[in-house]
Amino acid sequence: QVQLVESGGGLVQAGGSLRLSCAASGRTFSTYIMGWFRQAPGKEREFVAGISRSGSNTLYADSVKGRATISRDNAKNTGYLQMNSLRPEDTAVYYCGATFSTYSNTVLYTRTAYESWGQGTQVTVSS
């Protein structure tokens, strides 16, 4: 079991940037794949970005491609999501997830593949 705690959300103007963090504990951080998802009011939780165990492979949703960068520091047991050029439609609760599944792009973007989730951090982008 792994415990995840997100931080770094907040209120930002359109065009601004935020860096979200996901602090992990409970198991060796490098043993699991990590992903970021988000959920806006009235909508399902959707994939944002995912990263392999070593950090060498990443995947992004089309909606954030070119504006988001996912990374991880296995020595610090922390994952990150840098979001730039934020838009009002990026407003959502952002969650980090962890999975021990065998790596594939399908696993990265499949919400049900993730076994552990954090409590989420709110990102609000004003126009």
Side-chain angles (χ1 to χ4, degrees), residues 18 36 38 48-49 58-71 80-86 90 94:
L18 280 175
W36 286 93
R38 65 187 182 187
V48 177
T58 59
L59 184 70
Y60 297 92
D62 288 343
S63 58
V64 302
K65 200 170 293 183
R67 302 187 296 122
T69 302
I70 188 172
S71 62
Y80 305 96
L81 180 68
Q82 176 72 40
M83 293 283 293
N84 301 322
S85 301
L86 283 161
D90 293 319
Y94 284 69

Side-chain angles (χ1 to χ4, degrees), residues 3 8 16 56 58 75 89 109-110:
Q3 291 76 46
S56 59
T58 59
E89 54 263 40
Y109 66 68
T110 302

